[in-house]
């Protein structure tokens, strides 16, 4: 709230900056703006670069509904080069929420997104339109890169999705009220004739891929044999 974030692409480089502005809500994503900065101050606030001392009178809206440039970035590059991505719209693809959210957990607050060998923080304000929407287990997340550095420590990097439309490739948590999928249980090991002449006893090892209450969802294992002379149906599975 109270912050206008602008980005500009020039000579194939996209950079951004934030502007404290009481009337920031007057502007929408896709607005093209010309901003008169004479008399304003360029400084770092909490580690983030800002232009302060501007008002609506300093801003002219040229057009609306323009496409926005969203850059794909790995969490490694985001953490290594925060100055290149600060106050711009970036997308972290195939991010996984850690720890894995339960079914129905909301977006609101700070969530850890693991992408490759690194992680970044996904931040959603309680007042965001999608704050109460269920957060996925994994997705491609687009958001504004926000850099803060309250002291001399390493910069703290977050990205803030402007809307639910900026979340794609969604994989949601398993719904415990839905029927189990085809692969709720998988076979992880099998040994036939584990002790030689075992009287048709075989060894199976299983793993559940989701929580299963077997008192409510009983399961069975069915086997067959196609050994040549096995009775009662010799030569038949």
């Amino acid at each position: 709230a109270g912050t206008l974030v602008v980005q500009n692409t020039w000579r194939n480089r996209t950079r951004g900056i934030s502007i404290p502005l009481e009337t920031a809500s007057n502007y929408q994503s896709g607005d093209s703006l010309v901003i008169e900065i004479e008399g304003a101050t360029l400084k770092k606030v909490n580690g983030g670069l800002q232009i302060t001392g501007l008002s609506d009178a300093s801003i002219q809206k040229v057009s609306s509904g323009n496409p926005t440039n969203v850059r794909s970035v790995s969490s490694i590059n985001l953490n290594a080069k925060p100055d290149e991505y600060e106050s711009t719209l970036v997308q972290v693809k195939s991010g996984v929420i850690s720890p894995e959210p339960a079914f129905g957990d909301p977006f609101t607050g700070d969530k850890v997104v693991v992408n490759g060998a690194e992680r970044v923080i996904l931040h959603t304000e309680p007042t965001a339109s999608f704050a109460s929407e269920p957060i996925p287990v994994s997705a491609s997340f687009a958001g504004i890169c926000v850099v803060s550095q309250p002291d001399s420590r390493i910069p703290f990097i977050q990205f803030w999705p402007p809307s639910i439309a900026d979340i794609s490739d969604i994989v949601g948590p398993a719904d415990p009220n839905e029927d189990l999928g085809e692969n709720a249980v998988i076979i992880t090991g099998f040994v036939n004739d584990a002790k030689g002449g075992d009287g048709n006893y075989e060894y199976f090892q299983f793993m559940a891929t989701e929580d299963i209450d077997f008192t409510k969802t009983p399961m069975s294992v069915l086997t067959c044999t196609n050994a040549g002379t096995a009775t009662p149906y010799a030569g038949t599975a």
Side-chain angles (χ1 to χ4, degrees):
T3 303
L4 175 65
V5 180
V6 294
Q7 70 177 33
N8 184 61
T9 301
W10 186 62
R11 292 184 176 179
N12 295 320
R13 289 190 176 185
T14 299
R15 296 292 186 269
I17 199 164
S18 63
I19 301 172
L21 193 68
E22 291 182 1
T23 55
S25 58
N26 291 344
Y27 306 97
Q28 305 298 322
S29 178
D31 286 350
S32 179
L33 308 176
V34 173
I35 303 174
E36 176 60 56
I37 62 171
E38 184 177 357
T41 302
L42 176 66
K43 62 180 180 180
K44 282 204 169 186
V45 179
N46 258 356
L49 197 61
Q50 293 187 357
I51 299 177
T52 62
L54 295 178
S55 66
D56 260 347
S58 309
I59 301 173
Q60 175 191 356
K61 184 189 296 187
V62 177
S63 60
S64 300
N66 298 285
T68 53
N69 180 23
V70 184
R71 293 181 293 168
S72 294
V73 59
S74 68
S75 55
I76 292 178
N77 284 337
L78 200 58
N79 284 303
K81 304 174 182 179
D83 290 349
E84 292 188 12
Y85 300 101
E86 177 186 353
S87 296
T88 66
L89 197 57
V90 297
Q91 183 185 57
V92 175
K93 293 187 175 181
S94 303
V96 178
I97 301 296
S98 178
E100 181 176 323
F103 181 78
D105 282 356
F107 269 90
T108 187
D110 289 341
K111 312 291 183 183
V112 175
V113 176
V114 179
N115 169 252
E118 281 281 0
R119 57 187 60 202
V120 289
I121 301 297
L122 177 76
H123 178 83
T124 306
E125 291 284 276
T127 53
S129 60
F130 59 96
S132 60
E133 293 288 326
I135 194 168
V137 170
S138 67
S140 293
F141 300 94
I144 298 167
C145 178
V146 177
V147 177
S148 60
Q149 193 173 12
D151 50 38
S152 59
R153 293 177 299 175
I154 297 173
F156 182 64
I157 301 168
Q158 300 177 321
F159 62 110
W160 298 33
S163 71
I164 194 68
D166 296 292
I167 315 298
S168 58
D169 306 323
I170 292 173
V171 177
D175 184 349
N177 298 314
E178 289 184 349
D179 292 334
L180 294 174
E182 294 182 359
N183 300 313
V185 174
I186 59 175
I187 298 174
T188 55
F190 169 74
V191 179
N192 66 312
D193 292 339
K195 295 182 180 180
D198 59 358
N200 288 334
Y201 290 106
E202 321 297 350
Y203 170 79
F204 290 85
Q205 179 175 283
F206 300 92
M207 182 174 71
T209 61
E210 55 191 87
D211 292 340
I212 302 172
D213 184 347
F214 290 106
T215 64
K216 298 178 180 178
T217 311
M219 292 190 174
S220 300
V221 179
L222 304 180
T223 66
C224 66
T225 178
N226 60 357
T229 58
T231 56
Y233 304 107
T236 304

